Amino acid sequence: MQVGNARCAVVVPTVGRPSLDALLDALAQGRGPRPVELVLVDDRPAGAPLRAERAGLPPVRVLRTGGGGPARARNLGWRSVRTEWVAFLDDDVVPDPDWYERLADDLAGLPPDVAGSQGRVRVPLPEHRRPTDWERGTAGLATSSWITADLAYRRSALAAVGGFDERFPRAFREDSDLALRVMGTGARLVRGRRRITHPVRPVDRWISVRTQAGNADDVLMRRLHGPGWRDRADAPLGRRPRHLAVSAAGAAALALAAGGRPRAALAAGLAWAAGTAEFAWARIAPGPRTRDEVTTMLATSAAIPPLATWHWLRGVVTHRRVTRWRGLPDLVLFDRDGTLVHDFPYNGDPAWVRPVDGAREALDRLRARGVRVGVVSNQSGVARGLITREQVDACTARLAELLGPFDTVQVCPHGHDDGCGCRKPAPGMVKAACDELGVDPARCVVVGDIGADVEAAAAAGASGVLVPTPVTRRAEVAAAPRRAGTLTDAVDGVLAGAW
Ligand SMILES: [Mg+2]
């Protein structure tokens, strides 16, 4: 029986590629202490359940996103684990046999200011011939910084920055963006000694054309991190300025020809042809120069400059107004009476626990994204002798029956004049809920129907959202920092980042 690695969980986002089997086989056969669990985040929109079972794996849990890209899949994965460290692996890598041992070594004794440890990447290239353009591109992974093919982060570091920015739709730049934001908090990332192999994936000849979509993500990086982002992310500029020039020459040639200026059109056309030929040769020269590779390079070298330019322009338009990524909160606390359930004052009867419309669905949507949910409820009827604590607990149990499990339930049984620290608007219950779950109050939202709820949130350092009812005082509605018409609207807003 292996000794476990209680500090760590492994998260693998996957689209169910065949390479997942090779990864799981390697993780089943590897030696060393097993992490607490292996979380597979199935990012396919549909499909039969993944078959992950193999002797030797850590306990496996499979989550489904329904599709949404690797950033969202990784977020769902890390939010669902409770270990100190989260080790991300991509579903197209093969860890070395001693990967578990070295992972434990890499994380052992790291000082608290180290938020992440990167594994080392090996990309096998053919020995008997020169590598193709695609193989050379993949080989670049071996020297890239902070790629999540194999990167372990402290869970607290992920929580502090809201995890991966889900506005990066593909497996490109989302890892650099996260690294820059984590380092922006003053934390460090280091390189460990564990190793993975990243085989070159078989692709069709148009792969280099499709990857031009990443030019839009580069625009997002610049908007988020400023003009110096490439240096900090170790991401060279590449050929985009030349692509722009070649595209401009091509467009000018067409425009001049259409405008009846053949000589000028010819000159522009020659400039385009020269630029395209230079680009094609730069890609052909270091390669194997087979007929297939040369054909692919010629065809794609004509297509890439205008496509790169197009995607870059698309990014300029799409990302013209971007805000800092906050991600989802780690915890949403709900007031009970008047918020989750209709308010029957001093109710002690479970039969009168009647959820508001959409409460179950709203809570389930938060749970499905890995956001924890809880209840913070003033029950001064206990202090007044109108209801017993047992009745309050019976109503809470009924609430969970109707609305699903809560990660924390905080009840204040005191009266208005008892001077306790828990009765809202005091922050006691919000703080206690955050403490219990290890959540920074700054990553917590409180949803309630009166001013005391949002005041308790503010006093604890959390965000408050008011969902007024007809009996909520006007002044409290006016004073609320954030309002929503219904519980459903409040949760929609939280999921959209408005909290
Ligand atoms: Mg209330």
Side-chain angles (χ1 to χ4, degrees):
M1 190 65 197
Q2 301 271 11
V3 179
N5 178 355
R7 303 178 71 197
C8 194
V10 177
V11 170
V12 179
T14 180
V15 285
R17 309 187 253 201
S19 59
L20 178 65
D21 282 322
L23 167 65
L24 293 174
D25 288 343
L27 287 175
Q29 290 154 19
R31 59 176 189 268
R34 297 303 193 253
V36 171
E37 60 177 344
L38 167 61
V39 181
L40 291 181
V41 190
D42 183 350
D43 197 35
R44 297 171 302 165
L50 294 173
R51 298 184 62 82
E53 57 278 4
R54 280 163 181 72
L57 283 180
V60 178
R61 197 151 52 84
V62 180
L63 303 173
R64 286 199 91 138
T65 60
R72 181 182 267 208
R74 290 196 198 99
N75 282 343
L76 183 61
W78 72 260
R79 285 188 180 284
S80 78
V81 306
R82 298 286 166 256
T83 48
E84 181 186 355
W85 287 89
V86 182
F88 294 106
L89 280 176
D90 279 352
D91 71 345
D92 55 354
V93 305
V94 181
D96 276 10
D98 62 357
W99 188 82
Y100 290 121
E101 284 172 359
R102 288 190 176 228
L103 174 67
D105 288 348
D106 284 345
L107 302 186
L110 285 180
D113 72 319
V114 173
S117 163
Q118 182 176 9
R120 290 172 193 269
V121 182
R122 177 195 304 117
V123 179
L125 292 176
E127 287 168 11
H128 53 280
R129 62 164 170 79
R130 292 195 279 186
T132 62
D133 180 62
W134 170 244
E135 287 165 342
R136 295 193 304 275
T138 305
L141 291 173
T143 51
S144 294
S145 292
W146 322 132
I147 55 168
T148 23
D150 178 0
L151 187 44
Y153 274 106
R154 280 188 203 274
R155 194 186 182 286
S156 58
L158 295 166
V161 299
F164 291 87
D165 187 334
E166 296 175 14
R167 292 170 295 187
F168 290 93
R170 64 203 115 242
F172 189 65
R173 301 293 188 222
E174 86 293 358
D175 39 16
S176 305
D177 165 72
L178 175 68
L180 290 187
R181 282 184 293 123
V182 168
M183 290 191 284
T185 66
R188 288 189 293 140
L189 304 180
V190 299
R191 282 175 196 272
R193 295 183 57 226
R194 63 192 185 281
R195 279 186 176 277
I196 56 166
T197 298
H198 190 306
V200 179
R201 175 165 53 99
V203 288
D204 66 50
R205 70 171 54 188
W206 301 108
I207 182 69
S208 59
V209 170
R210 288 196 298 275
T211 55
Q212 297 310 313
N215 282 283
D217 306 315
D218 284 350
V219 177
L220 182 53
M221 283 297 282
R222 187 189 159 100
R223 291 278 150 84
L224 290 167
H225 300 287
W229 75 270
R230 286 185 179 277
D231 282 342
R232 282 180 283 140
D234 203 4
L237 172 59
R239 283 186 160 256
R240 205 193 56 234
R242 273 187 273 187
H243 288 336
L244 212 64
V246 170
S247 304
L254 293 175
L256 289 164
R261 298 178 57 193
R263 290 172 68 101
L266 181 65
L270 285 172
W272 170 83
T276 301
E278 184 272 334
F279 178 41
W281 178 244
R283 300 169 73 208
I284 291 167
R289 302 188 204 170
T290 58
R291 176 192 289 257
D292 190 53
E293 174 77 355
V294 171
T295 311
T296 300
M297 291 304 102
L298 287 174
T300 56
S301 295
I304 285 173
L307 266 173
T309 304
W310 158 250
H311 283 296
W312 178 75
L313 288 170
R314 187 172 60 80
V316 168
V317 173
T318 307
H319 302 305
R320 65 192 178 282
R321 270 191 292 273
V322 293
T323 49
R324 189 175 59 90
W325 175 254
R326 280 186 94 191
L328 297 176
D330 298 329
L331 171 65
V332 181
L333 296 170
F334 293 89
D335 167 55
R336 196 189 81 180
D337 302 326
T339 302
L340 287 177
V341 301
H342 295 286
D343 191 11
F344 300 107
Y346 307 116
N347 175 40
D349 182 353
W352 283 93
V353 174
R354 306 274 169 84
V356 302
D357 287 346
R360 174 80 203 215
E361 293 75 14
L363 288 163
D364 281 347
R365 278 191 298 141
L366 289 168
R367 293 181 183 116
R369 297 286 297 277
V371 178
R372 285 181 283 181
V373 293
V375 177
V376 282
S377 184
N378 285 354
Q379 294 294 331
S380 64
V382 177
R384 294 172 182 225
L386 300 171
I387 48 173
T388 65
R389 180 63 201 241
E390 288 67 35
Q391 286 177 305
V392 171
D393 292 344
C395 288
T396 305
R398 178 65 180 149
L399 190 71
E401 251 175 58
L402 293 167
L403 298 182
F406 291 95
D407 298 284
T408 178
V409 174
Q410 306 288 332
V411 172
C412 168
H414 306 111
H416 182 261
D417 302 321
D418 288 352
C420 69
C422 46
R423 181 176 163 79
K424 295 174 286 187
M429 287 194 287
V430 177
K431 285 183 172 174
C434 289
D435 277 354
E436 182 186 331
L437 299 174
V439 168
D440 179 350
R443 308 284 319 173
C444 170
V445 177
V446 180
V447 180
D449 68 320
I450 62 171
D453 297 313
V454 294
E455 287 168 36
S463 296
V465 180
L466 188 77
V467 182
T469 69
V471 298
T472 308
R473 291 196 188 114
R474 268 205 213 155
E476 295 179 359
V477 177
R482 273 165 297 274
R483 287 178 292 270
T486 63
L487 186 65
T488 302
D489 291 346
V491 168
D492 282 346
V494 167
L495 289 172
W499 53 278

